[in-house]
Amino acid sequence: QPQLLSKVKKSGKYGYITQAGTFLIPAEFDELKLSNQDIISAKQKKKYGFFDQNGKNIIPVIFDEVRTVQDDQIAVKMNDKWGFYDKSGKVTLPVEFDDVREFASGFVAAKKDRAWKYYDKSGKIAIEGPFDDAANFHEGFARVKKDDKWGFIDLQGKLVVPYRYKDAADFSEGLAAVK
């Protein structure tokens, strides 16, 4: 059960204390933000990481950039490479990808060696591709690109709309705009 927390500022730095006034997260951070996923992002000397509500440092404060929590996953960037952690602090994808999208429907598109593939939350390749570009899943479909043409795959990786479009938008309300 998480402790009740209050953010405090001491000597220009932020921390979190319990109702009793003891520090759960020391006041040594330039920025602390409680997310809607009940975890706390921390910034210290232009590096980012995360704490849980009990003050445990679940993702080390060593990353150059972090993206918000999507599908219980957090994207992290270090030395121009991306990876993912889950909310408990377990590495989902190692920090070795050139680019990543957001987790959606349990999958994430990640780019390595100029090729996009889809990975699941266990870090295994779920949809091999490879694709020249790949988008998040929306309504069970994802835009994928090969040879300058867009098509759509389903959650099993089956090409359900062939590569024939110059441009395509994500599915919304059962439809996707294409050009």
Side-chain angles (χ1 to χ4, degrees):
Q1 159 119 341
Q3 306 241 9
L4 289 174
L5 303 175
S6 294
K7 186 159 96 171
V8 294
K9 188 174 185 179
K10 183 178 176 184
S11 304
K13 300 289 183 177
Y14 293 95
Y16 270 91
I17 59 172
T18 65
Q19 257 185 323
T22 57
F23 275 93
L24 275 181
I25 300 173
E28 56 189 42
F29 296 93
D30 302 324
E31 202 175 275
L32 288 173
K33 290 182 185 169
L34 179 62
S35 82
N36 60 353
Q37 300 286 324
D38 298 330
I39 59 173
I40 299 159
S41 66
K43 178 182 177 188
Q44 184 180 43
K45 298 177 184 162
K46 297 183 180 176
K47 297 293 180 182
Y48 298 86
F50 287 85
F51 288 84
D52 68 15
Q53 283 199 20
N54 292 314
K56 180 182 172 202
N57 184 206
I58 54 173
I59 298 175
V61 185
I62 59 172
F63 295 101
D64 303 325
E65 188 178 335
V66 293
R67 291 190 190 154
T68 56
V69 180
Q70 293 291 328
D71 216 10
D72 290 335
Q73 301 292 314
I74 302 158
V76 296
K77 184 179 185 182
M78 184 190 305
N79 301 324
D80 288 324
K81 296 291 182 185
W82 286 95
F84 278 90
Y85 280 78
D86 69 15
K87 288 191 336 180
S88 72
K90 181 176 166 266
V91 174
T92 305
L93 284 180
V95 181
E96 62 185 28
F97 294 90
D98 301 320
D99 199 0
V100 294
R101 303 291 186 232
E102 296 174 349
F103 263 90
S105 302
F107 301 112
V108 67
K111 181 182 178 184
K112 188 175 177 182
D113 301 325
R114 294 190 308 247
W116 288 88
K117 299 177 181 182
Y118 287 88
Y119 295 81
D120 64 19
K121 289 183 181 181
S122 71
K124 291 183 175 65
I125 295 172
I127 300 170
E128 185 73 39
F131 306 104
D132 299 336
D133 200 351
N136 294 335
F137 277 93
H138 292 271
E139 298 183 9
F141 302 99
R143 291 179 291 130
V144 290
K145 190 176 194 179
K146 268 195 182 176
D147 302 322
D148 283 327
K149 298 286 183 192
W150 288 95
F152 289 86
I153 59 170
D154 64 14
L155 290 166
Q156 287 71 45
K158 181 180 175 214
L159 188 66
V160 292
V161 175
Y163 303 107
R164 69 173 103 161
Y165 299 102
K166 194 167 124 180
D167 200 9
D170 295 323
F171 267 82
S172 177
E173 298 180 24
L175 300 171
V178 293
K179 182 174 166 184

